[in-house]
């Protein structure tokens, strides 16, 4: 049931392949606009979006007041550099500190840069303790932290790393949710333990409560910094502003990006008082764009909307219904073999002779956008503003897609 694409769509796809470096195998669809929780392609076909631009569009498309805030900032000033103060920087930083209960923020342009900054802050913290500073970082297998060389070095996926070695020195890997394996990697050179609170790209694995508490205890015992990567699972996706808040376990450093700007590229690493007061100082770290007025106007508005509209409360209200419906689908279809996740970050395992790629393509034909995580997980990370009716529509479209594969 492959639908014929219009001539415009073919033209955009062809020119993209002609001129853009081929690092992605893109799905054959060209999106032109979005509204709420829907996307429209250049042929005018409408799709229910359960991918949200990879967990970025937390507020969906054109959330009331968001575009207006961006446009207002464009009319004032969009960039000034970090050599000066600007208005939205103060607003965004204050709101992020308030939302996290942490102490200081550094704004970046992406998630991978937030990870880079977190690594540097951790190493500087250890350096200041001297005289034999620790520098090793313990990261997790099947983790994902980004594609720059530093972030790639702590990404526990040999497939991504292979062609780019040697990577950054001083990284050891342990198994997620296996505290003993983490303990086994600690030595006098260790300075930090880095993990996603809920592993995203690796296949949607939430941390066990005992595991997260155990990591916190290990860090306290050995004076190591606990770095939580909240780039995907943070910003309300798991039912609190940050997933660690649902566990009651506080990191020393947190990274944030994806939904922080709801489509405007902005990331951040956030430090607690202990780390902020004994790590990076002027000259240690910088960025030309990072924290510019436009990006910060986006982050400040997003954080304002989250607070005023109680977006996390909404997530806690609709997420159980999504879980229930996904469990019913898993029950009904042989090729769906399990579900796991937290809040509106859900993964359904595909197997029994069907691949996740087939399911994604069939879903798209049926007007539903979903993506994968790991090799066999269907990832559902919709805009956080979805209502029950959208979940019902997702179920109906995903069922049609699965039926078409029988
Ligand atoms: C997406 C992601 C990153 C990388 O963010 P970019 O903005 O793509 O650089 C890092 N960590 C996690 C957990 C992510 O999901």
């Amino acid at each position: 049931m492959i639908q014929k694409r219009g001539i415009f769509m073919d033209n955009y796809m062809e020119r993209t392949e002609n001129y853009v470096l081929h690092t992605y195998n893109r799905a054959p669809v060209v999106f032109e606009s979005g509204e709420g929780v829907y996307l429209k392609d250049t042929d005018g076909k409408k799709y229910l979006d359960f991918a949200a631009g990879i967990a970025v569009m937390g507020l969906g498309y054109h959330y009331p007041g968001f575009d207006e805030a961006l446009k207002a900032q464009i009319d004032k000033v969009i960039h000034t550099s970090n050599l000066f103060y600007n208005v939205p920087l103060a607003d965004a930083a204050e709101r992020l500190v308030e939302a996290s209960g942490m102490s200081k923020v550094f704004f970046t342009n992406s998630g991978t840069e937030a990870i880079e900054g977190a690594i540097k802050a951790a190493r500087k913290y250890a350096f200041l303790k001297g005289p034999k500073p620790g520098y090793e970082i313990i990261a997790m297998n099947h983790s994902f932290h980004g594609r720059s060389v530093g972030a790639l070095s702590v990404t526990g996926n040999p497939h991504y790393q292979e062609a780019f070695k040697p990577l950054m020195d001083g990284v050891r890997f342990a198994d997620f949710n296996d505290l003993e394996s983490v303990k086994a990697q600690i030595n006098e050179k260790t300075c930090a333990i880095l993990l996603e609170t809920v592993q995203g790209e690796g296949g949607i694995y939430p941390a066990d409560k005992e595991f997260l508490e155990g990591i916190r205890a290990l860090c306290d015992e050995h004076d190591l910094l606990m770095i939580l990567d909240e780039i995907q699972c943070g910003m309300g996706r798991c039912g609190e502003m940050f997933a660690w808040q649902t566990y009651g376990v506080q990191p020393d450093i947190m990274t944030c990006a994806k939904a922080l700007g709801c489509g405007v590229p902005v990331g951040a690493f956030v430090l607690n008082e202990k780390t902020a007061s004994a790590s990076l100082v002027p000259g240690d770290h910088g960025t030309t764009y990072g924290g510019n007025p436009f990006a910060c106007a986006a982050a400040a508005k997003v954080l304002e909307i989250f607070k005023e509209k109680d977006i996390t409360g909404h997530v806690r209200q609709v997420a159980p219904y999504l879980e229930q419906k996904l469990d019913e689908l898993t029950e009904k279809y042989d090729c769906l073999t399990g579900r796991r996740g937290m809040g509106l970050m859900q993964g359904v395992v595909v197997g029994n002779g069907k691949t996740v790629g087939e399911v994604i393509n069939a879903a798209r034909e049926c007007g539903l956008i979903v993506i994968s995580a790991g090799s066999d997980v269907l990832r559902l990370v919709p805009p956080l503003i979805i209502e029950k009716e959208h979940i019902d529509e997702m179920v109906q479209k995903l069922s049609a897609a699965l039926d078409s594969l029988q």
Side-chain angles (χ1 to χ4, degrees):
M1 53 180 278
I2 298 294
Q3 283 167 1
K4 214 173 146 356
R5 285 187 306 270
I7 184 149
F8 287 120
M9 206 180 298
D10 284 339
N11 176 278
Y12 290 120
M13 284 168 45
E14 190 181 318
R15 284 194 292 141
T16 302
E17 294 306 335
N18 278 347
Y19 301 119
V20 174
L21 187 67
H22 187 213
T23 62
Y24 279 99
N25 291 316
R26 295 168 200 268
V29 59
V30 181
F31 290 126
E32 192 169 49
S33 62
E35 188 58 51
V37 298
Y38 295 93
L39 282 166
K40 216 181 244 184
D41 72 17
T42 47
D43 288 349
K45 180 178 168 184
K46 199 171 155 186
Y47 302 80
L48 176 65
D49 182 14
F50 264 57
I54 321 186
V56 166
M57 304 305 289
L59 298 173
Y61 305 93
H62 308 295
Y63 191 91
F66 185 55
D67 295 2
E68 290 77 1
L70 299 183
K71 288 172 188 171
Q73 190 59 44
I74 288 172
D75 286 339
K76 289 177 185 157
V77 62
I78 63 173
H79 181 81
T80 56
S81 93
N82 283 306
L83 304 179
F84 310 97
Y85 294 89
N86 72 66
V87 175
L89 174 63
D91 290 340
E94 181 176 29
R95 286 187 181 279
L96 192 48
V97 163
E98 191 202 332
S100 63
M102 295 177 76
S103 179
K104 295 280 196 291
V105 181
F106 183 104
F107 285 107
T108 66
N109 310 293
S110 67
T112 196
E113 284 171 81
I115 293 290
E116 296 291 332
I119 292 171
K120 282 181 71 177
R123 286 195 164 174
K124 182 73 193 290
Y125 177 85
F127 176 83
L128 291 175
K129 285 194 298 180
K132 269 191 159 182
Y135 61 92
E136 284 189 2
I137 295 181
I138 300 174
M140 302 299 138
N141 290 314
H142 306 295
S143 61
F144 183 82
H145 299 293
R147 304 294 199 142
S148 59
V149 173
L152 187 60
S153 303
V154 290
T155 288
N157 184 333
H159 177 70
Y160 289 161
Q161 296 184 329
E162 201 183 344
F164 308 103
K165 289 188 167 177
L167 294 171
M168 185 181 83
D169 199 13
V171 182
R172 291 168 176 265
F173 288 98
D175 290 327
F176 193 69
N177 280 338
D178 178 348
L179 197 60
E180 290 306 316
S181 78
V182 179
K183 269 186 203 164
Q185 299 297 340
I186 295 178
N187 63 65
E188 68 285 355
K189 295 195 221 105
T190 312
C191 76
I193 303 176
L194 164 66
L195 65 155
E196 294 151 89
T197 319
V198 181
Q199 285 195 333
E201 303 298 315
I204 316 293
Y205 290 95
D208 296 336
K209 193 168 195 307
E210 309 77 64
F211 180 65
L212 220 55
E213 288 170 348
I215 298 277
R216 182 67 268 174
L218 281 178
C219 287
D220 292 340
E221 187 186 333
H222 299 275
D223 195 18
L224 310 175
L225 296 184
M226 178 172 179
I227 309 174
L228 287 180
D229 183 343
E230 289 265 339
I231 290 169
Q232 188 161 160
C233 61
M235 290 305 292
R237 185 148 296 279
C238 294
E240 296 287 346
M241 271 311 281
F242 300 103
W244 55 263
Q245 291 169 331
T246 68
Y247 293 83
V249 174
Q250 293 190 13
D252 297 297
I253 306 176
M254 154 178 92
T255 57
C256 197
K258 290 200 163 83
L260 178 58
C262 282
V264 174
V266 52
F269 60 98
V270 189
L271 303 90
N272 65 5
E273 180 55 32
K274 173 180 92 171
T275 320
S277 60
S279 60
L280 303 174
V281 295
D284 280 340
H285 199 54
T287 163
T288 300
Y289 283 142
N292 89 11
F294 184 64
C296 284
K301 190 66 188 180
V302 167
L303 290 161
E304 179 193 314
I305 292 170
F306 265 75
K307 189 176 168 188
E308 280 179 7
K309 302 293 174 180
D310 189 22
I311 300 294
T312 55
H314 179 73
V315 171
R316 290 194 296 275
Q317 189 210 320
V318 294
Y321 188 67
L322 175 62
E323 293 186 344
Q324 180 202 325
K325 288 292 160 185
L326 291 175
D327 285 341
E328 285 171 17
L329 282 174
T330 304
E331 193 70 18
K332 179 170 173 203
Y333 289 94
D334 283 347
C335 65
L336 305 182
T337 61
R339 176 196 66 81
R340 51 180 183 252
M342 251 176 102
L344 293 180
M345 182 171 180
Q346 294 289 331
V348 177
V349 185
V350 178
N352 281 332
K354 296 279 183 289
T355 68
V356 66
E358 287 175 295
V359 176
I360 287 170
N361 289 336
R364 195 176 59 252
E365 294 297 331
C366 295
L368 170 68
I369 301 298
V370 279
I371 53 179
S372 66
S375 57
D376 62 351
V377 177
L378 189 67
R379 172 167 36 166
L380 297 102
V381 284
L384 307 181
I385 55 167
I386 53 162
E387 300 288 349
K388 278 187 173 176
E389 71 202 58
H390 301 122
I391 295 171
D392 290 336
E393 186 183 340
M394 179 279 290
V395 169
Q396 174 252 316
K397 288 181 163 159
L398 188 55
S399 300
L402 291 165
D403 291 340
S404 79
L405 292 176
Q406 298 303 313

